[in-house]
């Protein structure tokens, strides 16, 4: 896919929110926290967990911040102008064949917050916090440890500790991840591509000691989609016997084609992002009995490995077909689920992935 030419980005949107700028210098631990000068922000964790009895689970925890209007400061007497906080929680019980999910929507000052200058998020009883020394640059050895607590009503809950085993990666070009031709359609895209994960997971009446790996995205933006886009296909892949990972976002137009701003980027052993070409071919579809949406199910993802220079063909196969979140509070249903990754040429199971599919039930608006 060819490089996209975009006009130089102005500093702010028409209503006064900041726009990501090339060459930005990040400062940690402050940049783990909230950025109120931007309209949209999310902290997004997905992972693969294993219990001692060989049970396998997937989990998702997403904290969204949507800024209030810029034209007036919020007041204690009228917090309707405060930021909105949406959060999604999900657990896939692979062996049990069950998918549990729920969501919360709260205003800042009521039952949710996102701290500035440090990672400290809360939405109701759900929290994401971290410990990091003042000098921590977000690299291996910084001592950062994340603590995540979440639940899905009475069906499932988890308390997890997550520790990076690779440095933070900044996706995009010159620090900016482009999402469309419009100057404002961009984000700062920060990721921990591998987090060693341990803790407890409760499903129904059973509690498990679990271990595994997670992926964490933190995106900061004021305009995440282009005007002609209806949704996206996203995946992150963690390879089992390799220090490489990859991330793809495929921004879909109304006619189903990919916007030129779409990107596949590999993460090398030093957490440097390397852009590569890609192919995306849907091998089978799944239709939701609730929303009626048809989602890609098995997908062939082809790309050129920067480690070997060879073409690789990856099969992304959901470990449960039904992993659709209703998202009644946040704009419509989407599919988000845990997948196995197979080498199509050898048939071997070579890793794990999460896949997110939006805009299939209805066009996504952000």
């Amino acid at each position: 896919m060819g490089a996209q030419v975009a006009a130089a980005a102005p500093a702010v949107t028409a209503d006064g929110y900041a726009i990501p700028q090339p060459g930005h210098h990040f400062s940690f631990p402050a940049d783990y926290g909230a950025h109120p000068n931007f309209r949209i922000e999310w902290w997004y964790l997905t992972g693969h967990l294993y219990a001692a009895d060989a049970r396998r689970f997937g989990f998702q925890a997403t904290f969204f911040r949507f800024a209030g209007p810029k034209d007036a400061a919020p007041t204690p007497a009228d917090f309707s102008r405060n930021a909105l906080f949406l959060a999604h929680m999900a657990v896939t019980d692979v062996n049990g064949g069950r998918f549990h999910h729920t969501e919360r929507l709260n205003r800042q000052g009521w039952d949710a917050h996102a701290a500035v200058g440090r990672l400290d998020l809360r939405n109701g009883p759900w929290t994401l916090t971290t410990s990091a020394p003042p000098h921590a640059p977000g690299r291996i050895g910084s001592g950062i440890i994340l603590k995540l607590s979440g639940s899905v009503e009475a069906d499932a809950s988890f308390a997890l500790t997550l520790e990076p085993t690779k440095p933070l990666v900044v996706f995009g070009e010159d620090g900016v991840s482009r999402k469309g031709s419009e100057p404002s359609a961009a984000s700062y895209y920060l990721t921990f591509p591998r987090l060693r994960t341990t803790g407890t997971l409760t499903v129904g009446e059973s509690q498990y000691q679990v271990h595994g790996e997670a992926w964490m995205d933190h995106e900061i933006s004021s305009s995440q989609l282009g005007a002609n886009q209806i949704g996206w296909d996203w995946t992150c892949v963690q390879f089992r016997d390799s220090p490489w990972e990859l991330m793809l976002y495929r921004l879909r137009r109304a006619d189903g084609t990919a916007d030129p701003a779409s990107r596949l980027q590999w993460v090398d052993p030093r957490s440097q992002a390397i852009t590569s070409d890609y192919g995306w071919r849907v091998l089978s579809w799944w239709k939701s009995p609730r929303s009626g949406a048809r989602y890609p199910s098995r997908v062939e993802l082809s790309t050129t490995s920067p480690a070997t220079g060879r073409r690789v063909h990856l099969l992304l196969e959901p470990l449960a077909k039904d992993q659709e979140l209703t998202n009644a509070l946040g704009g419509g249903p989407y599919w988000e689920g845990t997948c196995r990754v197979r080498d199509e040429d050898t048939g071997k199971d070579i890793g794990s992935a999460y896949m997110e599919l939006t805009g299939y039930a209805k066009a996504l608006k952000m």
Side-chain angles (χ1 to χ4, degrees):
M1 182 169 292
Q4 179 170 6
V5 177
V12 297
T13 63
D15 53 354
Y17 285 101
I19 295 173
Q21 300 296 310
H24 176 75
H25 174 71
F26 295 98
S27 177
F28 299 102
D31 275 323
Y32 296 136
H35 299 75
N37 287 337
F38 291 82
R39 180 186 286 115
I40 308 163
E41 188 166 13
W42 64 68
W43 297 259
Y44 165 84
L45 296 102
T46 56
H48 312 274
L49 301 175
Y50 304 87
D53 62 356
R55 290 185 72 95
R56 181 171 180 175
F57 304 91
F59 79 92
Q60 174 198 351
T62 312
F63 295 82
F64 300 89
R65 178 191 62 80
F66 300 98
K70 268 275 192 182
D71 57 355
T75 67
D78 177 17
F79 64 86
S80 65
R81 308 184 74 80
N82 287 14
L84 277 169
F85 291 93
L86 175 69
H88 293 170
M89 296 283 160
V91 171
T92 305
D93 179 355
V94 176
N95 301 71
R98 297 289 303 276
F99 180 65
H100 308 282
H101 66 92
T102 191
E103 59 187 329
R104 289 179 178 273
L105 181 66
N106 283 298
R107 282 203 182 272
Q108 181 178 353
W110 182 252
D111 201 21
H113 73 246
V116 176
R118 68 187 189 282
L119 183 59
D120 182 359
L121 309 176
R122 179 172 62 83
N123 198 320
W126 305 337
T127 59
L128 177 63
T129 60
T130 187
S131 63
H135 64 277
R139 314 294 288 183
I140 285 180
S142 68
I144 180 174
I145 296 175
L146 292 88
K147 298 286 188 178
L148 174 65
S149 177
S151 60
V152 183
E153 299 176 346
D155 297 321
S157 63
F158 47 82
L160 302 174
T161 298
L162 307 98
E163 185 174 3
T165 58
K166 286 188 69 169
L168 189 82
V169 59
V170 179
F171 285 119
E173 285 78 40
D174 200 15
V176 175
S177 176
R178 296 230 41 94
K179 300 301 196 296
S181 59
E182 296 89 342
S184 62
S187 71
Y188 293 135
Y189 190 163
L190 313 175
T191 294
F192 280 117
R194 286 193 193 255
L195 293 156
R196 181 186 299 115
T197 305
T198 58
T200 59
L201 170 68
T202 301
V203 178
E205 300 297 319
S206 301
Q207 184 177 85
Y208 304 92
Q209 295 295 317
V210 291
H211 66 278
E213 274 192 325
W215 173 287
M216 178 181 170
D217 283 345
H218 179 192
E219 285 206 69
I220 307 156
S221 178
S222 290
S223 179
Q224 184 72 353
L225 283 179
N228 64 342
Q229 298 166 4
I230 63 167
W232 60 73
D233 307 317
W234 173 92
T235 190
C236 65
V237 176
Q238 295 164 317
F239 295 98
R240 180 167 296 115
D241 298 317
S242 168
W244 290 74
E245 301 83 30
L246 68 78
M247 178 279 301
L248 164 73
Y249 59 82
R250 180 178 176 271
L251 301 159
R252 290 195 328 282
R253 296 164 165 165
D255 63 2
T257 61
D259 189 285
S262 305
R263 289 288 184 274
L264 182 146
Q265 292 195 284
W266 290 81
V267 181
D268 77 6
R270 298 177 299 113
S271 282
Q272 299 301 304
I274 302 171
T275 301
S276 182
D277 63 327
Y278 75 91
W280 173 273
R281 185 164 68 99
V282 178
L283 303 178
S284 64
W285 297 80
W286 174 78
K287 184 176 181 179
S288 167
R290 292 172 300 279
S291 68
R294 279 179 81 240
Y295 296 98
S297 188
R298 294 178 69 246
V299 173
E300 179 196 74
L301 176 60
S302 57
T303 182
T304 301
S305 167
T308 64
R310 296 178 179 175
R311 196 72 177 167
V312 295
H313 301 269
L314 307 176
L315 293 179
L316 308 182
E317 300 176 334
L319 293 175
K321 289 185 177 181
D322 187 353
Q323 297 182 80
E324 183 190 44
L325 292 89
T326 54
N327 192 25
L329 302 175
Y334 67 99
W335 195 98
E336 177 100 26
T338 179
C339 303
R340 68 168 57 90
V341 181
R342 296 188 188 275
D343 183 324
E344 187 177 32
D345 297 325
T346 65
K348 292 182 178 178
D349 191 331
I350 59 172
S352 299
Y354 248 79
M355 187 161 60
E356 180 178 77
L357 308 166
T358 72
Y360 287 91
K362 58 187 287 190
L364 189 66
K365 301 293 183 184
M366 292 191 66

